Amino acid sequence: MMNTAVDRQLALDLLYQMLRIRRFQEKCVELYSLGKIRGFLHLYIGEEAVAVGAIRALTPDDAIVATYREHGQALVRGTPMSSLMAELYGKAGGCARGRGGSMHFFDASRRFYGGLAIVGGGLPVAVGLALADKLQGLSRVTACFFGDGAVAEGEFHESLNLASLWKLPVLFLCENNLYAMGTALARHQAQTDIAQKAKGYNISSEAVDGMDVLAVLDATRRAAEVVRSNGRPYFLEYRTYRFRAHSMYDPELYRSKEEVEQWKERDPIAIFEGRMREWKCLTSDDLAKMEETIAAELDEAIAFAEASPWEPVEDLTKDVYTERT
């Protein structure tokens, strides 16, 4: 039972952040359909509890490495929605000056190092960041998000092995949504209990209900404290589900509509909202204010993206070639 002001404020913030991600993603679908956003677009709808709960457990000094489905993480980390929307538009006002698009959000000022499009590509990057922190004697955690599909990649095993061998402060966070693109988990992994794989590299691990934001927050807090205190890696498997197809181009022929609808009954936002009403720490007015605030932020973000200029042609080779000296 939540009965303190702090608990109520925490619950309100968690719900607000999940709603903010959901509405942002829904607006992205509309803008994609209008041709405003082009290229690949991987939506986070259904997985909001993971980004919100996990990042709430980290500090601003901790690093984050994410996948191409990183919109939720970037929003929770604090990168302005306007900057993210402009990046989706491919505009110069975007967080990567419009060069990265949907799959390559980046914000070094907030220690958000991607947005990496290569499956499993963020794992060795995270190990490198953690190694740098260790060599400098810094007490920081590098949180690395990746999907279940990355478990089939060689760098998954190499990264876990080196992190354990070198005792590096990496928090490995597997967002297991049961499908590697269109391949079901049981079709690409003989051992579907992904948390168990970390133990083969002498890394402590546990599985978490990724549809429960409080469970995610609690597990990630505990795991981050362990990493920070002993400098060794830790592994969490968030068992979650995406309600939309792999990407906007995906015909989604690999799973049934019935399966998706069953998972939607565990919608992390709806479930948490219901729990808050039971705890009597959420009113209809609270919810209306959240929606109003988010809608206004979305309008401002779209206006910013529309008004933002394209990067000039003269900058085509900027940051690509080094000037001769």
Side-chain angles (χ1 to χ4, degrees), residues 16 19 23 284-300:
Y16 172 75
L19 274 172
R23 299 296 177 252
S284 297
D285 188 50
D286 290 328
L287 204 55
K289 287 180 180 177
M290 288 183 192
E291 295 284 11
E292 183 180 349
T293 301
I294 294 168
E297 185 182 19
L298 273 168
D299 287 343
E300 291 175 6

Side-chain angles (χ1 to χ4, degrees), residues 18 22 45-46 48 211 243 262-273:
M18 288 195 291
R22 179 71 58 90
I45 295 174
E48 295 90 350
M211 308 301 273
F243 296 162
Q262 286 179 355
W263 273 93
K264 284 184 177 179
E265 293 177 5
R266 297 189 58 208
D267 186 322
I269 297 176
I271 288 177
F272 192 58
E273 179 186 333

Side-chain angles (χ1 to χ4, degrees), residues 164-290:
S164 181
L165 192 64
W166 293 344
K167 298 179 176 60
L168 301 180
V170 185
L171 182 54
F172 293 105
L173 306 174
C174 179
E175 296 182 284
N176 177 11
N177 61 27
L178 302 181
Y179 289 94
M181 295 183 69
T183 304
L185 179 63
R187 293 179 66 86
H188 71 84
Q189 290 297 309
Q191 170 55 275
T192 58
D193 188 346
I194 294 177
Q196 292 296 320
K197 295 178 182 292
K199 295 179 180 179
Y201 295 101
N202 197 29
I203 296 176
S204 298
S205 66
E206 61 182 291
V208 185
D209 181 358
M211 308 301 273
D212 183 339
V213 68
L214 290 180
V216 171
L217 173 59
D218 179 60
T220 311
R221 271 181 175 165
R222 287 187 284 103
E225 287 172 6
V226 171
V227 175
R228 211 179 304 281
S229 64
N230 66 17
R232 295 181 63 91
Y234 202 99
F235 189 105
L236 290 177
E237 176 196 351
Y238 304 123
R239 294 175 178 173
T240 184
Y241 197 84
R242 53 176 166 79
F243 296 162
R244 300 288 300 227
H246 169 70
S247 72
M248 289 295 290
Y249 282 120
D250 180 11
E252 200 174 7
L253 302 176
Y254 47 85
R255 61 184 186 180
S256 68
K257 292 181 179 178
E258 291 75 18
E259 177 184 308
V260 177
E261 290 305 314
Q262 286 179 355
W263 273 93
K264 284 184 177 179
E265 293 177 5
R266 297 189 58 208
D267 186 322
I269 297 176
I271 288 177
F272 192 58
E273 179 186 333
R275 291 168 71 183
M276 288 179 67
R277 290 189 184 279
E278 289 179 9
W279 297 329
K280 301 189 185 307
C281 64
L282 177 71
T283 67
S284 297
D285 188 50
D286 290 328
L287 204 55
K289 287 180 180 177
M290 288 183 192

Side-chain angles (χ1 to χ4, degrees), residues 50 52 57 66 70-71 79 99 116 119-120 130-131 135 141 148 152 170 179 191 197 209 263 306 322:
V50 174
V52 173
E70 85 282 33
H71 300 176
T79 302
R99 294 186 172 203
L116 296 166
V119 174
L131 176 60
L135 292 175
V141 172
D148 55 286
V170 185
Y179 289 94
Q191 170 55 275
K197 295 178 182 292
D209 181 358
W263 273 93
E306 293 280 358
T322 302

